[in-house]
Amino acid sequence: MSDPLAADEAATDGGADGVGASRGTTVSVILPTYNRCDVVETTLRHFIAQDYPAEQMEVLVADNSTDGTPDMVRRLAANSPLTIRLVSSEERLPAVKRNQALRQASGDLVLWMNDDVWVRPDMVRRHVEMHARHDAPIAVLGHVEQSPQMPPNPFTDWYRPFSYWEIADRAGKTVSYRYHWSMNLSLPRRVMLQRNLVFHEDWANIGHEDIELGYRWTRAGYEIVYEPRAWGEHYHPHDLLSACRLQESVGRGLRDLEVLIPEPDLLERYGVFSRNASPRGMLRMGVRNALFNRLTVPPLRAWLAGLQERNALAEWLYWKVLLFHTERGYHTSLPRRPAVVPTWPAAGPTPVGTPG
């Protein structure tokens, strides 16, 4: 694909519904990965099967794997109708790998994906069409559900880590930066680079970089629009114990996020008790913490992990146990002081992004 930075920004061809304006739009799909060769191969095959023109797509795999992932990517690329490129890296953090691939990408749009989201054949087209319906640059959030192909167990059948139900009535409409999830998210590459709307790279823990970018994206004057028809399924089998470890990492990452997003209700939204919580939140979290603590959670977690069938009590308890681990991750981590990334707003040269 040719570099759109050297092309005419107005290279579209009309259409009242915006679909015509999408003709010729190029897309760079970027997914960071680490040691998930088999899953990533399936992910890539779903992109090879897209109904979007192959000559207008490329997939960049940002990889620091030590398994067979690099060889697999090269093998698929050799026989693929669309361009698949390996962006080798020595970096651990997905945020850094994403930025490295962004600077090598050439598409009009960058489609950010997780390495384990398997998409429908019309997924890329749905993203492009939603962008084309808007005159101003936007971010487009696609939809992700847990994959029914994962091995079933009571916890997996219940577990829904992504809160798409909260925006079920927002199809085609603007959503908060809180839903700026990079597992299925597209943005205009030119705007990201020109406005310094790239991923923050100073993270003690993996995660939260997409939320932080969404915060700066909206503060810079841009919208995030939800397109549930841009659909993918998330294939990452978890049991209760692995999900608890994940929640502890989420909690640790809040030490960065609370500095970069200085909103008083941030911790409360993640279920972490703080002095800034609302009176109702303090009461709710105080009762929860009295019932679910370092003495009660371990035996409860062991009982839940051993269940063979779903039941209503377990499904009420799962989230309480997970929130205990979120709080533990936060409270056992030291405060952090990451620097704010300066961002240039949609109008005017003055950077925004400073807390306060």
Side-chain angles (χ1 to χ4, degrees):
M1 294 185 298
S2 61
D3 189 339
L5 285 177
D8 184 354
E9 289 187 68
T12 58
D13 56 355
D17 63 357
V19 175
S22 69
R23 195 170 301 153
T25 299
T26 54
V27 180
S28 296
V29 180
I30 297 178
L31 55 98
T33 189
Y34 176 72
N35 284 359
R36 303 193 71 197
C37 183
D38 291 343
V39 171
V40 175
E41 180 170 359
T42 302
T43 302
L44 292 175
R45 291 191 183 279
H46 279 80
F47 280 106
I48 292 172
Q50 289 295 294
D51 65 12
Y52 201 70
E55 66 274 13
Q56 293 171 216
M57 284 180 61
E58 65 176 357
V59 180
L60 287 76
V61 182
D63 178 58
N64 63 322
S65 295
T66 59
D67 65 358
T69 299
D71 289 339
M72 177 275 295
V73 172
R74 295 186 188 100
R75 172 173 51 81
L76 276 187
N79 299 293
S80 170
L82 58 84
T83 299
I84 299 176
R85 290 199 277 151
L86 181 70
V87 181
S88 297
S89 176
E90 296 181 355
E91 297 290 341
R92 175 185 69 93
L93 292 173
V96 179
K97 293 191 288 185
R98 287 189 176 105
N99 285 344
Q100 290 173 338
L102 172 64
R103 295 184 175 98
Q104 295 190 35
S106 61
D108 298 302
L109 301 176
V110 176
L111 176 54
W112 303 101
M113 299 296 303
N114 278 13
D115 65 0
D116 52 11
V117 173
W118 299 342
V119 298
R120 288 177 176 168
D122 64 348
M123 182 265 198
V124 170
R125 176 167 55 83
R126 296 295 187 182
H127 273 275
V128 172
E129 291 174 356
M130 183 58 76
H131 281 277
R133 292 189 183 101
H134 292 76
D135 294 329
I138 60 169
V140 174
L141 172 71
H143 187 85
V144 176
E145 288 289 348
Q146 293 292 83
S147 175
Q149 300 184 59
M150 290 189 292
N153 62 62
F155 179 76
T156 300
D157 292 345
W158 168 85
Y159 190 43
R160 294 293 182 273
F162 316 122
S163 305
Y164 285 99
W165 63 84
E166 296 178 356
I167 55 174
D169 62 343
R170 302 297 299 171
K173 300 178 182 177
T174 301
V175 297
S176 164
Y177 77 87
R178 302 170 189 175
Y179 305 99
H180 192 261
W181 295 324
S182 59
M183 71 194 83
N184 185 350
L185 178 76
S186 61
L187 298 97
R189 183 179 66 96
R190 183 192 300 270
V191 175
M192 293 189 74
L193 293 172
Q194 290 183 343
R195 302 280 111 184
N196 202 33
L197 286 162
V198 298
F199 289 95
H200 197 295
E201 295 187 356
D202 181 17
W203 297 95
N205 294 276
I206 290 174
H208 297 305
E209 65 268 14
D210 48 1
I211 303 298
E212 190 276 338
L213 176 55
Y215 176 74
R216 283 186 288 120
W217 178 263
T218 55
R219 289 199 75 204
Y222 300 107
E223 294 183 343
I224 305 164
V225 177
Y226 178 42
E227 172 52 288
R229 294 177 299 175
W231 191 96
E233 63 181 72
H234 178 238
Y235 185 88
H236 194 141
H238 272 293
D239 58 21
L240 177 60
L241 298 182
S242 64
C244 287
R245 291 192 295 270
L246 176 61
Q247 287 303 124
E248 285 209 28
S249 179
V250 168
R252 290 191 296 270
L254 291 174
R255 288 295 189 178
D256 290 294
L257 204 63
E258 67 182 346
V259 176
L260 298 170
I261 301 181
E263 295 192 346
D265 66 340
L266 178 75
L267 294 179
E268 182 176 352
R269 292 203 313 269
Y270 283 87
V272 173
F273 189 92
S274 79
R275 64 184 181 183
N276 291 323
S278 64
R280 180 179 178 183
M282 284 189 175
L283 177 61
R284 183 179 68 252
M285 289 184 286
V287 171
R288 190 192 72 221
N289 290 346
L291 295 174
F292 300 91
N293 52 60
R294 62 185 181 86
L295 298 177
T296 61
V297 166
L300 179 59
R301 186 180 57 215
W303 175 72
L304 289 169
L307 291 177
Q308 300 299 311
E309 297 182 0
R310 295 183 67 168
N311 68 72
L313 175 61
E315 294 182 359
W316 182 79
L317 292 170
Y318 283 140
W319 193 237
K320 308 299 187 296
V321 171
L322 292 174
L323 287 175
F324 164 82
H325 286 276
T326 305
E327 283 221 76
R328 186 165 76 175
Y330 176 82
H331 289 297
T332 57
S333 298
L334 294 175
R336 290 257 300 158
R337 290 292 179 266
V340 173
V341 173
T343 295
W344 282 261
T350 304
V352 299
T354 303

